[in-house]
Amino acid sequence: MRKPLIAGNWKLHNTVEESCQLAQALVTDLNDVTETEIVIAPVFTSLSDVGKICAGTTVQLAAQNCHCMDDGAYTGEVSVPLLANVGCSHIIVGHSERRQYFGETDHFINVKARAIIKHGLTAIICVGETLEQRESGELFEVIATQVRGALEEISPEQMSQVVLAYEPVWAIGTGKTASSEEAEEVHAYIRGLLHGSYGAEIAAQCRILYGGSVKPGNISELMAEDDIDGALVGGASLKADDFAAIVRYKKTLKMAAT
Ligand code: PGA
């Protein structure tokens, strides 16, 4: 059984004070949740303070990015050990905004994921196609390249420290969610790729999150799909009530097609 995971990606929002207020509200509101893992990813400058608020609670801390080297002359970068030092248990890598605006390649994402795993943290690795790629029939090829590239040299044993997130670029921040069927089609495909590379057991254990305009109103439908194990939430994670409602989504069974 895969434990659902709901992660909030706060992106470039919130001062330290605002981050702490939001984190405090979530920690208080979600203190009884044990059936779903909860992760929040504030900006770097808020991590240390938010880490203190999350310590010993049901809410875990993630960074939105990291560098692959532990230390050295890498101006402007933040390493995995330093992120662990302020309480991060998870790090998001390969977000489409990093691929698009900062030129991150599958190889670079893979090197970072391996650094995260080496230090005992969990890598939340994002993949997803653009609208253009989907419309030109490249969807599965793009996803396969990104998944295989990100997982290069990651061993079967290390896969327990990997969470994948499928985020169609055209659904991020646009209000356009992939339908639950569209999302499930890709999630099932990704699980098939994992099966091919790592075998049935690891494919069945690895969590695959969906991301792209997830809201309280669409989470239950998404979570009813067999291969959707949680969500990476952007916009709606900035409001405590919305994020808490997503974490507390109602479990519904998928309606059988008639
Ligand atoms: P969104 O962002 O929920 O605002 O669409 C999701 C993400 O980019 O992780």
Side-chain angles (χ1 to χ4, degrees), residues 64-69 77 80 91-94 98 102 104-118 123 125 150 154:
Q64 298 173 17
N65 184 30
C66 65
H67 191 53
C68 55
M69 303 303 284
E77 294 296 333
V80 179
I91 301 179
I92 300 170
V93 282
R98 301 237 33 108
F102 304 97
E104 293 200 6
T105 61
D106 289 327
H107 175 69
F108 192 39
I109 292 159
N110 170 250
V111 172
K112 294 195 216 195
R114 284 193 272 148
I116 295 167
I117 292 167
K118 180 179 91 178
I125 303 173
I154 292 178

Side-chain angles (χ1 to χ4, degrees), residues 9 11 95-97 167 171-175 211-214 232-236:
N9 172 12
K11 306 195 181 184
H95 192 280
S96 63
E97 286 150 16
E167 299 205 302
I172 295 178
T174 58
S213 299
V214 174
L232 183 53
V233 187

Side-chain angles (χ1 to χ4, degrees), residues 6-249:
I6 304 289
N9 172 12
W10 295 2
K11 306 195 181 184
L12 184 44
H13 296 291
N14 290 342
T15 62
V16 174
E17 291 73 20
E18 288 161 347
S19 299
C20 288
Q21 265 175 21
L22 180 52
Q24 192 59 62
L26 293 173
V27 161
T28 307
D29 192 351
L30 298 171
N31 68 346
D32 61 329
V33 176
T34 50
E35 66 283 7
T36 297
E37 253 187 78
I38 308 161
V39 175
I40 53 174
V43 291
F44 282 132
T45 49
S46 297
L47 283 173
S48 180
D49 288 286
V50 171
K52 290 184 189 116
I53 293 171
C54 293
T57 74
T58 57
V59 179
Q60 303 175 81
L61 190 68
Q64 298 173 17
N65 184 30
C66 65
H67 191 53
C68 55
M69 303 303 284
D70 291 355
D71 55 19
Y74 302 101
T75 303
E77 294 296 333
V78 181
S79 69
V80 179
L82 293 183
L83 293 169
N85 183 242
V86 293
C88 289
S89 52
H90 295 66
I91 301 179
I92 300 170
V93 282
H95 192 280
S96 63
E97 286 150 16
R98 301 237 33 108
R99 293 176 189 262
Q100 192 180 342
Y101 305 134
F102 304 97
E104 293 200 6
T105 61
D106 289 327
H107 175 69
F108 192 39
I109 292 159
N110 170 250
V111 172
K112 294 195 216 195
R114 284 193 272 148
I116 295 167
I117 292 167
K118 180 179 91 178
H119 289 288
L121 281 72
T122 296
I124 302 178
I125 303 173
C126 307
V127 299
E129 82 289 1
T130 62
L131 188 58
E132 203 182 11
Q133 289 166 331
R134 178 174 271 259
E135 286 177 345
S136 62
E138 293 168 71
L139 166 63
F140 294 111
E141 196 184 315
V142 168
I143 298 297
T145 304
Q146 291 182 356
V147 170
R148 290 200 182 107
L151 297 180
E152 196 125 322
E153 287 180 47
I154 292 178
S155 71
E157 297 72 41
Q158 293 172 325
M159 283 301 288
S160 60
Q161 288 168 257
V162 170
V163 171
L164 292 170
Y166 168 57
E167 299 205 302
V169 178
W170 47 272
I172 295 178
T174 58
K176 265 194 228 165
T177 328
S179 69
S180 49
E181 291 80 14
E182 277 172 327
E184 171 60 17
E185 186 186 23
V186 181
H187 280 238
Y189 176 72
I190 294 173
R191 205 171 300 286
L193 293 174
L194 295 176
H195 189 293
S197 304
Y198 294 102
E201 198 177 324
I202 287 168
Q205 279 164 6
C206 183
R207 286 174 297 182
I208 308 172
L209 315 182
Y210 170 77
S213 299
V214 174
K215 301 178 210 66
N218 58 23
I219 183 70
S220 293
E221 201 188 327
L222 288 160
M223 292 302 286
E225 296 292 341
D226 289 346
D227 294 292
I228 300 182
D229 307 313
L232 183 53
V233 187
S237 72
L238 295 169
K239 293 197 191 106
D241 290 352
D242 282 356
F243 189 66
I246 292 171
V247 169
R248 294 185 190 279
Y249 69 94

